[in-house]
């Protein structure tokens, strides 16, 4: 099988549990280090799927790698090569496929429940209708034309969309304990006061093992559905 291309946009926002999931199933993957100056490949044909991770930048910024990334996502969608996005990755997918990315009504930092919004969510999550996910964002995507919104939260209407074999998520289901502890060290930089949608680092670390285990049960379902579409 061709490898899955995993695009990293920030050194602290790597593939996390997504890579663990792939490796446990002997699915090859390769890391494209956008944060270190690697350019997006010109075409998706050398990969079985594309995965876009998070990052602190906005998809509306003037960054040289954004236009070729949008073109790559569109090419993959046209050729039936599955794309999955986490947070910034979901926003990249939305904008590439005709949606928009704007400021969310509040910042959403820490653990928060997401729930399904459409029967199509059952294709991705089975009988699971809600779970606690991890969040770290101030912007939000619209649902691109032809896609279906499948998840929402109390503070962000669009938490995930599905479009055929493609899945764009605003939430982070790939988190590991090490990633959460690393991000907590950057909490002050967010300049966000504690609020119903904003947890403190102490709150984020409460019951962390239990929360990660529960989130991985949902991630396993999402990722299992996604890899079923990988190009051989």
């Amino acid at each position: 099988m061709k490898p899955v291309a995993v695009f990293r946009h920030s050194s602290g926002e790597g593939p996390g549990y997504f890579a663990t999931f792939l490796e446990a199933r002997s699915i090859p993957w390769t890391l494209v280090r956008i944060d270190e100056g690697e350019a997006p490949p010109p075409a998706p044909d050398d990969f079985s799927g594309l995965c876009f991770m998070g990052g602190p930048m906005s998809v509306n910024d003037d960054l040289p790698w954004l236009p070729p990334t949008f073109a790559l996502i569109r090419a993959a969608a046209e050729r039936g090569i599955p794309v999955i996005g986490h947070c910034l990755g979901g926003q990249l997918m939305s904008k590439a496929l005709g949606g928009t990315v704007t400021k969310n009504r509040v910042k959403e930092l820490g653990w928060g429940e997401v729930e399904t919004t459409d029967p199509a969510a059952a294709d991705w999550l089975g009988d699971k209708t809600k779970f606690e996910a991890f969040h770290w964002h101030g912007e939000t995507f619209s649902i691109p034309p032809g896609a279906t919104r499948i998840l929402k939260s109390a503070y962000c209407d669009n938490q995930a969309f599905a479009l055929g074999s493609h899945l764009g998520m605003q939430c982070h289901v790939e988190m590991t304990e090490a990633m959460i502890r690393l991000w907590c060290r950057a909490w002050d930089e967010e300049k966000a006061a504690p609020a119903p949608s904003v947890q403190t680092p102490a709150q984020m670390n409460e019951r962390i093992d239990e929360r990660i285990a529960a989130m991985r049960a949902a991630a396993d379902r999402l990722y299992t559905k996604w890899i079923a579409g990988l190009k051989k």
Side-chain angles (χ1 to χ4, degrees):
M1 176 185 283
K2 297 175 183 178
V4 172
V6 179
F7 295 81
R8 189 183 71 189
H9 310 100
S10 170
S11 60
E13 302 198 38
Y17 179 65
F18 181 75
T20 302
F21 178 91
L22 294 182
E23 290 167 2
R25 289 152 184 81
S26 300
I27 296 173
W29 64 279
T30 186
L31 188 64
V32 182
R33 300 170 178 84
I34 300 295
D35 58 300
E36 294 183 6
E38 288 188 43
D45 306 274
D46 291 336
F47 308 105
S48 61
L50 307 180
C51 171
F52 294 88
M53 307 312 302
M57 62 288 294
S58 170
V59 302
N60 298 317
D61 290 343
D62 183 16
L63 298 170
W65 54 267
L66 283 172
T69 295
F70 297 141
L72 182 67
I73 292 170
R74 286 191 291 269
E78 290 166 1
R79 297 172 201 184
I81 298 171
V83 185
I84 188 170
H86 304 75
C87 199
L88 175 75
Q91 295 171 358
L92 289 167
M93 291 176 63
S94 172
K95 186 166 182 177
L97 298 174
T100 59
V101 174
T102 57
K103 187 176 180 179
N104 195 42
R105 58 183 180 271
V106 293
K107 282 193 173 184
E108 198 173 17
L109 305 178
W111 295 98
E113 188 176 80
V114 296
E115 61 180 302
T116 58
T117 59
D118 189 277
D123 292 340
W124 293 86
L125 287 162
D127 60 357
K128 189 180 290 292
T129 59
K130 59 181 65 177
F131 64 93
E132 195 174 29
F134 197 77
H135 309 270
W136 201 285
H137 69 102
E139 293 189 320
T140 182
F141 53 66
S142 70
I143 306 303
T148 301
R149 180 177 68 146
I150 62 170
L151 288 175
K152 68 177 181 178
S153 71
Y155 306 106
C156 180
D157 295 333
N158 298 329
Q159 281 287 349
F161 66 83
L163 178 61
S165 61
H166 315 298
L167 177 66
M169 295 175 285
Q170 186 59 69
C171 55
H172 291 274
V173 299
E174 81 283 10
M175 301 302 291
T176 64
E177 179 178 348
M179 290 170 70
I180 291 172
R181 297 196 186 282
L182 176 65
W183 292 15
C184 281
R185 288 192 294 211
W187 190 86
D188 288 341
E189 297 173 16
E190 290 292 330
K191 296 180 173 58
S197 66
V198 177
Q199 292 182 338
T200 65
Q203 290 173 315
M204 294 180 198
N205 284 290
E206 290 174 359
R207 300 183 293 106
I208 191 169
D209 292 340
E210 173 190 338
R211 283 168 147 165
I212 288 176
M215 182 170 65
R216 285 189 178 167
D220 283 345
R221 295 190 182 193
L222 293 166
Y223 292 159
T224 296
K225 165 68 174 175
W226 186 76
I227 64 171
L230 293 178
K231 291 293 185 180
K232 305 300 183 184

